[in-house]
Amino acid sequence: MSISVFELFKIGIGPSSSHTVGPMVAAERFICDLESRGDLTKVERVEVHLYGSLALTGVGHGTDMAVLMGLEGESPETIDIDTIDGRIAAIEKHQQLILNGLRAIHFERDRDLIFHKEEFLPQHSNGLTCKAFAGEECLLERSYFSIGGGFVLSEEDFANKEQIATLLPYDFSSAEDLMALCEQNHWTIAELAMENEKAFRSDQEVTDLLWHIWEVMEASIERGCHQSGVLPGGLGVRRRAEEHFRELSKQTDEERRQGLAILDWVSLFALAVNEENAARGRIVTAPTNGAAGVIPATIAYYVQFVHTQEEHGDLKNQVVKFLLTAGAIGMLFKKNASISAAEVGCQGEIGVACSMASAGLAAVQGGSNAQIENAAEIGMEHNLGLTCDPIGGLVQVPCIERNTMGAVKAINAARLALRGTGAHIVPLDSVIETMRQTGIDMQHKYKETSLGGLAVNAVNC
């Protein structure tokens, strides 16, 4: 399955790529299918059935909100996030949905949005089925699967995943393939990734779009550093980034760059992004929402504490190199394991983001392809077995702090790799396969169901 870097870095909203972004995309796709068939004007009632992890932690992740907004024709990238709460309140008060902004129908939340907490669809643990009716006649029924990172497959797509991909000129299915292609063509990983992106758009478009991705990441850091209060959801989690930012801003330039003070800033960057994510703000899925702070925090570290024009060249080109390199590594996990916590636990989210960030950082600091691969391997190797056990089904505890750990670990992994020759015992492909096997062996209760781990034990403390 061929993947574009822009499928791994998508502009959207919080709090979850698999439980918020994916269901919104699926619901919007269902409505578009109805309209293309000429059936939208006939619809009198819509039902949406949520299964598995979407049902178990859907309310805490905003799945219900996402589905309703998708049915009204909204997409994660363009929805006005400041209007969501008011629109949801209006839907519940008036019991009315406006399908695709065109067709008003009666909608009863408890009747028409059904959570099947004990049932899983066989294809994937994040499944939903949409049904549209005219009277008793079912006009259309479609099942969709939110497979992580905002990726959505229909039932038909799921059965034909290998047939729906764009053919890339330098496609690769393993890190070994990737390294061999780079060596044959005398390319860096970023250069090969750029050649593949040209199958979708021009190199200037790729450069401009990736820079825009960074601008959105940077904006989420900036906004997160200036917001205060308590995060929604009922846990009473207080936003900390704003206070940390005020305290750290008192430092002189010399103090800011001394010792562990830099890591305080890295942690701040990650906190800011994931508090925005938890508050349903605008963020970049990278490669998931639950891990959305790792890569922005690592890039911000490079931009603010490492990059100089004289030594590293134009900043825009360096950020593009970072994201292309990170994207290539993310594709390996997507193809050969998973980036869905509902499938493999948080090793598939924070672990993959850490691996991607490690590789990107090694690349912009002049690392060879072998050192970059080593950095990616270190980044995942020390996240193996990481569970997903969000308290209350919310992407808050331990998720927000976990992003700070992922960013700091990414920096350390890149530094370790750059101090070596690139030679190492464990290949990246072996770590990816180990992550996949660990995910299979991991108990169901540790896979974004909030049925085990901190989600259960914290309430007893």
mmCIF file with all atom_site columns, all heavy atoms in Angstrom, residues 302-315:
data_model
loop_
_atom_site.group_PDB
_atom_site.id
_atom_site.type_symbol
_atom_site.label_atom_id
_atom_site.label_alt_id
_atom_site.label_comp_id
_atom_site.label_asym_id
_atom_site.label_entity_id
_atom_site.label_seq_id
_atom_site.pdbx_PDB_ins_code
_atom_site.Cartn_x
_atom_site.Cartn_y
_atom_site.Cartn_z
_atom_site.occupancy
_atom_site.B_iso_or_equiv
_atom_site.pdbx_formal_charge
_atom_site.auth_seq_id
_atom_site.auth_comp_id
_atom_site.auth_asym_id
_atom_site.auth_atom_id
_atom_site.pdbx_PDB_model_num
ATOM 1   N N   . TYR A 1 302 ? 14.722 21.916 17.392 1.00 0.00 ? 302 TYR A N   1
ATOM 2   C CA  . TYR A 1 302 ? 15.721 22.153 16.347 1.00 0.00 ? 302 TYR A CA  1
ATOM 3   C C   . TYR A 1 302 ? 15.720 23.616 15.914 1.00 0.00 ? 302 TYR A C   1
ATOM 4   O O   . TYR A 1 302 ? 16.778 24.246 15.798 1.00 0.00 ? 302 TYR A O   1
ATOM 5   C CB  . TYR A 1 302 ? 15.437 21.247 15.150 1.00 0.00 ? 302 TYR A CB  1
ATOM 6   C CG  . TYR A 1 302 ? 16.296 21.578 13.949 1.00 0.00 ? 302 TYR A CG  1
ATOM 7   C CD1 . TYR A 1 302 ? 17.640 21.208 13.910 1.00 0.00 ? 302 TYR A CD1 1
ATOM 8   C CD2 . TYR A 1 302 ? 15.772 22.283 12.873 1.00 0.00 ? 302 TYR A CD2 1
ATOM 9   C CE1 . TYR A 1 302 ? 18.436 21.534 12.821 1.00 0.00 ? 302 TYR A CE1 1
ATOM 10  C CE2 . TYR A 1 302 ? 16.562 22.607 11.773 1.00 0.00 ? 302 TYR A CE2 1
ATOM 11  C CZ  . TYR A 1 302 ? 17.896 22.234 11.756 1.00 0.00 ? 302 TYR A CZ  1
ATOM 12  O OH  . TYR A 1 302 ? 18.679 22.565 10.683 1.00 0.00 ? 302 TYR A OH  1
ATOM 13  N N   . VAL A 1 303 ? 14.538 24.178 15.681 1.00 0.00 ? 303 VAL A N   1
ATOM 14  C CA  . VAL A 1 303 ? 14.419 25.554 15.189 1.00 0.00 ? 303 VAL A CA  1
ATOM 15  C C   . VAL A 1 303 ? 14.978 26.547 16.197 1.00 0.00 ? 303 VAL A C   1
ATOM 16  O O   . VAL A 1 303 ? 15.711 27.477 15.840 1.00 0.00 ? 303 VAL A O   1
ATOM 17  C CB  . VAL A 1 303 ? 12.946 25.881 14.871 1.00 0.00 ? 303 VAL A CB  1
ATOM 18  C CG1 . VAL A 1 303 ? 12.759 27.375 14.605 1.00 0.00 ? 303 VAL A CG1 1
ATOM 19  C CG2 . VAL A 1 303 ? 12.460 25.060 13.672 1.00 0.00 ? 303 VAL A CG2 1
ATOM 20  N N   . GLN A 1 304 ? 14.669 26.355 17.462 1.00 0.00 ? 304 GLN A N   1
ATOM 21  C CA  . GLN A 1 304 ? 15.018 27.350 18.473 1.00 0.00 ? 304 GLN A CA  1
ATOM 22  C C   . GLN A 1 304 ? 16.388 27.148 19.119 1.00 0.00 ? 304 GLN A C   1
ATOM 23  O O   . GLN A 1 304 ? 16.988 28.101 19.604 1.00 0.00 ? 304 GLN A O   1
ATOM 24  C CB  . GLN A 1 304 ? 13.941 27.383 19.560 1.00 0.00 ? 304 GLN A CB  1
ATOM 25  C CG  . GLN A 1 304 ? 12.578 27.825 19.034 1.00 0.00 ? 304 GLN A CG  1
ATOM 26  C CD  . GLN A 1 304 ? 11.655 28.288 20.131 1.00 0.00 ? 304 GLN A CD  1
ATOM 27  O OE1 . GLN A 1 304 ? 12.093 28.712 21.215 1.00 0.00 ? 304 GLN A OE1 1
ATOM 28  N NE2 . GLN A 1 304 ? 10.359 28.206 19.891 1.00 0.00 ? 304 GLN A NE2 1
ATOM 29  N N   . PHE A 1 305 ? 16.892 25.915 19.106 1.00 0.00 ? 305 PHE A N   1
ATOM 30  C CA  . PHE A 1 305 ? 18.127 25.656 19.853 1.00 0.00 ? 305 PHE A CA  1
ATOM 31  C C   . PHE A 1 305 ? 19.269 25.079 19.026 1.00 0.00 ? 305 PHE A C   1
ATOM 32  O O   . PHE A 1 305 ? 20.394 25.007 19.510 1.00 0.00 ? 305 PHE A O   1
ATOM 33  C CB  . PHE A 1 305 ? 17.836 24.701 21.019 1.00 0.00 ? 305 PHE A CB  1
ATOM 34  C CG  . PHE A 1 305 ? 16.911 25.272 22.054 1.00 0.00 ? 305 PHE A CG  1
ATOM 35  C CD1 . PHE A 1 305 ? 15.573 24.916 22.072 1.00 0.00 ? 305 PHE A CD1 1
ATOM 36  C CD2 . PHE A 1 305 ? 17.364 26.182 22.992 1.00 0.00 ? 305 PHE A CD2 1
ATOM 37  C CE1 . PHE A 1 305 ? 14.705 25.447 23.017 1.00 0.00 ? 305 PHE A CE1 1
ATOM 38  C CE2 . PHE A 1 305 ? 16.510 26.713 23.940 1.00 0.00 ? 305 PHE A CE2 1
ATOM 39  C CZ  . PHE A 1 305 ? 15.171 26.351 23.951 1.00 0.00 ? 305 PHE A CZ  1
ATOM 40  N N   . VAL A 1 306 ? 19.005 24.650 17.802 1.00 0.00 ? 306 VAL A N   1
ATOM 41  C CA  . VAL A 1 306 ? 20.047 23.981 17.013 1.00 0.00 ? 306 VAL A CA  1
ATOM 42  C C   . VAL A 1 306 ? 20.337 24.708 15.705 1.00 0.00 ? 306 VAL A C   1
ATOM 43  O O   . VAL A 1 306 ? 21.498 24.945 15.374 1.00 0.00 ? 306 VAL A O   1
ATOM 44  C CB  . VAL A 1 306 ? 19.632 22.513 16.707 1.00 0.00 ? 306 VAL A CB  1
ATOM 45  C CG1 . VAL A 1 306 ? 20.713 21.830 15.860 1.00 0.00 ? 306 VAL A CG1 1
ATOM 46  C CG2 . VAL A 1 306 ? 19.382 21.733 17.992 1.00 0.00 ? 306 VAL A CG2 1
ATOM 47  N N   . HIS A 1 307 ? 19.315 25.086 14.992 1.00 0.00 ? 307 HIS A N   1
ATOM 48  C CA  . HIS A 1 307 ? 19.500 25.596 13.635 1.00 0.00 ? 307 HIS A CA  1
ATOM 49  C C   . HIS A 1 307 ? 20.227 26.936 13.599 1.00 0.00 ? 307 HIS A C   1
ATOM 50  O O   . HIS A 1 307 ? 19.926 27.857 14.365 1.00 0.00 ? 307 HIS A O   1
ATOM 51  C CB  . HIS A 1 307 ? 18.147 25.767 12.936 1.00 0.00 ? 307 HIS A CB  1
ATOM 52  C CG  . HIS A 1 307 ? 18.267 26.319 11.552 1.00 0.00 ? 307 HIS A CG  1
ATOM 53  N ND1 . HIS A 1 307 ? 18.188 27.679 11.273 1.00 0.00 ? 307 HIS A ND1 1
ATOM 54  C CD2 . HIS A 1 307 ? 18.492 25.704 10.357 1.00 0.00 ? 307 HIS A CD2 1
ATOM 55  C CE1 . HIS A 1 307 ? 18.340 27.872 9.985  1.00 0.00 ? 307 HIS A CE1 1
ATOM 56  N NE2 . HIS A 1 307 ? 18.526 26.703 9.390  1.00 0.00 ? 307 HIS A NE2 1
ATOM 57  N N   . THR A 1 308 ? 21.194 27.023 12.695 1.00 0.00 ? 308 THR A N   1
ATOM 58  C CA  . THR A 1 308 ? 21.807 28.304 12.314 1.00 0.00 ? 308 THR A CA  1
ATOM 59  C C   . THR A 1 308 ? 21.875 28.322 10.787 1.00 0.00 ? 308 THR A C   1
ATOM 60  O O   . THR A 1 308 ? 22.117 27.290 10.148 1.00 0.00 ? 308 THR A O   1
ATOM 61  C CB  . THR A 1 308 ? 23.223 28.482 12.884 1.00 0.00 ? 308 THR A CB  1
ATOM 62  O OG1 . THR A 1 308 ? 24.079 27.459 12.343 1.00 0.00 ? 308 THR A OG1 1
ATOM 63  C CG2 . THR A 1 308 ? 23.216 28.385 14.407 1.00 0.00 ? 308 THR A CG2 1
ATOM 64  N N   . GLN A 1 309 ? 21.655 29.480 10.222 1.00 0.00 ? 309 GLN A N   1
ATOM 65  C CA  . GLN A 1 309 ? 21.683 29.625 8.763  1.00 0.00 ? 309 GLN A CA  1
ATOM 66  C C   . GLN A 1 309 ? 23.040 29.237 8.210  1.00 0.00 ? 309 GLN A C   1
ATOM 67  O O   . GLN A 1 309 ? 23.134 28.581 7.166  1.00 0.00 ? 309 GLN A O   1
ATOM 68  C CB  . GLN A 1 309 ? 21.352 31.075 8.389  1.00 0.00 ? 309 GLN A CB  1
ATOM 69  C CG  . GLN A 1 309 ? 21.077 31.308 6.920  1.00 0.00 ? 309 GLN A CG  1
ATOM 70  C CD  . GLN A 1 309 ? 19.667 30.925 6.509  1.00 0.00 ? 309 GLN A CD  1
ATOM 71  O OE1 . GLN A 1 309 ? 18.817 30.723 7.367  1.00 0.00 ? 309 GLN A OE1 1
ATOM 72  N NE2 . GLN A 1 309 ? 19.439 30.794 5.215  1.00 0.00 ? 309 GLN A NE2 1
ATOM 73  N N   . GLU A 1 310 ? 24.092 29.625 8.918  1.00 0.00 ? 310 GLU A N   1
ATOM 74  C CA  . GLU A 1 310 ? 25.452 29.384 8.435  1.00 0.00 ? 310 GLU A CA  1
ATOM 75  C C   . GLU A 1 310 ? 25.773 27.895 8.376  1.00 0.00 ? 310 GLU A C   1
ATOM 76  O O   . GLU A 1 310 ? 26.378 27.405 7.424  1.00 0.00 ? 310 GLU A O   1
ATOM 77  C CB  . GLU A 1 310 ? 26.475 30.089 9.342  1.00 0.00 ? 310 GLU A CB  1
ATOM 78  C CG  . GLU A 1 310 ? 26.359 31.600 9.364  1.00 0.00 ? 310 GLU A CG  1
ATOM 79  C CD  . GLU A 1 310 ? 25.183 32.101 10.197 1.00 0.00 ? 310 GLU A CD  1
ATOM 80  O OE1 . GLU A 1 310 ? 24.658 31.308 11.021 1.00 0.00 ? 310 GLU A OE1 1
ATOM 81  O OE2 . GLU A 1 310 ? 24.779 33.266 10.024 1.00 0.00 ? 310 GLU A OE2 1
ATOM 82  N N   . GLU A 1 311 ? 25.353 27.157 9.400  1.00 0.00 ? 311 GLU A N   1
ATOM 83  C CA  . GLU A 1 311 ? 25.729 25.744 9.492  1.00 0.00 ? 311 GLU A CA  1
ATOM 84  C C   . GLU A 1 311 ? 24.738 24.831 8.783  1.00 0.00 ? 311 GLU A C   1
ATOM 85  O O   . GLU A 1 311 ? 25.133 23.833 8.168  1.00 0.00 ? 311 GLU A O   1
ATOM 86  C CB  . GLU A 1 311 ? 25.832 25.327 10.967 1.00 0.00 ? 311 GLU A CB  1
ATOM 87  C CG  . GLU A 1 311 ? 26.337 23.902 11.157 1.00 0.00 ? 311 GLU A CG  1
ATOM 88  C CD  . GLU A 1 311 ? 26.490 23.542 12.621 1.00 0.00 ? 311 GLU A CD  1
ATOM 89  O OE1 . GLU A 1 311 ? 26.328 24.440 13.475 1.00 0.00 ? 311 GLU A OE1 1
ATOM 90  O OE2 . GLU A 1 311 ? 26.777 22.373 12.910 1.00 0.00 ? 311 GLU A OE2 1
ATOM 91  N N   . HIS A 1 312 ? 23.447 25.156 8.837  1.00 0.00 ? 312 HIS A N   1
ATOM 92  C CA  . HIS A 1 312 ? 22.426 24.228 8.359  1.00 0.00 ? 312 HIS A CA  1
ATOM 93  C C   . HIS A 1 312 ? 21.690 24.695 7.103  1.00 0.00 ? 312 HIS A C   1
ATOM 94  O O   . HIS A 1 312 ? 20.939 23.926 6.517  1.00 0.00 ? 312 HIS A O   1
ATOM 95  C CB  . HIS A 1 312 ? 21.400 23.965 9.465  1.00 0.00 ? 312 HIS A CB  1
ATOM 96  C CG  . HIS A 1 312 ? 21.986 23.390 10.708 1.00 0.00 ? 312 HIS A CG  1
ATOM 97  N ND1 . HIS A 1 312 ? 22.222 24.150 11.842 1.00 0.00 ? 312 HIS A ND1 1
ATOM 98  C CD2 . HIS A 1 312 ? 22.409 22.145 11.002 1.00 0.00 ? 312 HIS A CD2 1
ATOM 99  C CE1 . HIS A 1 312 ? 22.748 23.376 12.783 1.00 0.00 ? 312 HIS A CE1 1
ATOM 100 N NE2 . HIS A 1 312 ? 22.877 22.169 12.302 1.00 0.00 ? 312 HIS A NE2 1
ATOM 101 N N   . GLY A 1 313 ? 21.849 25.955 6.709  1.00 0.00 ? 313 GLY A N   1
ATOM 102 C CA  . GLY A 1 313 ? 21.171 26.449 5.521  1.00 0.00 ? 313 GLY A CA  1
ATOM 103 C C   . GLY A 1 313 ? 19.754 26.921 5.802  1.00 0.00 ? 313 GLY A C   1
ATOM 104 O O   . GLY A 1 313 ? 19.344 27.092 6.951  1.00 0.00 ? 313 GLY A O   1
ATOM 105 N N   . ASP A 1 314 ? 18.991 27.111 4.730  1.00 0.00 ? 314 ASP A N   1
ATOM 106 C CA  . ASP A 1 314 ? 17.647 27.684 4.809  1.00 0.00 ? 314 ASP A CA  1
ATOM 107 C C   . ASP A 1 314 ? 16.742 26.852 5.721  1.00 0.00 ? 314 ASP A C   1
ATOM 108 O O   . ASP A 1 314 ? 16.651 25.625 5.578  1.00 0.00 ? 314 ASP A O   1
ATOM 109 C CB  . ASP A 1 314 ? 17.047 27.742 3.408  1.00 0.00 ? 314 ASP A CB  1
ATOM 110 C CG  . ASP A 1 314 ? 15.656 28.330 3.412  1.00 0.00 ? 314 ASP A CG  1
ATOM 111 O OD1 . ASP A 1 314 ? 15.519 29.527 3.685  1.00 0.00 ? 314 ASP A OD1 1
ATOM 112 O OD2 . ASP A 1 314 ? 14.703 27.567 3.161  1.00 0.00 ? 314 ASP A OD2 1
ATOM 113 N N   . LEU A 1 315 ? 16.061 27.516 6.656  1.00 0.00 ? 315 LEU A N   1
ATOM 114 C CA  . LEU A 1 315 ? 15.225 26.817 7.633  1.00 0.00 ? 315 LEU A CA  1
ATOM 115 C C   . LEU A 1 315 ? 14.080 26.073 6.956  1.00 0.00 ? 315 LEU A C   1
ATOM 116 O O   . LEU A 1 315 ? 13.764 24.933 7.332  1.00 0.00 ? 315 LEU A O   1
ATOM 117 C CB  . LEU A 1 315 ? 14.680 27.804 8.662  1.00 0.00 ? 315 LEU A CB  1
ATOM 118 C CG  . LEU A 1 315 ? 13.758 27.201 9.733  1.00 0.00 ? 315 LEU A CG  1
ATOM 119 C CD1 . LEU A 1 315 ? 14.479 26.127 10.540 1.00 0.00 ? 315 LEU A CD1 1
ATOM 120 C CD2 . LEU A 1 315 ? 13.211 28.299 10.644 1.00 0.00 ? 315 LEU A CD2 1
#
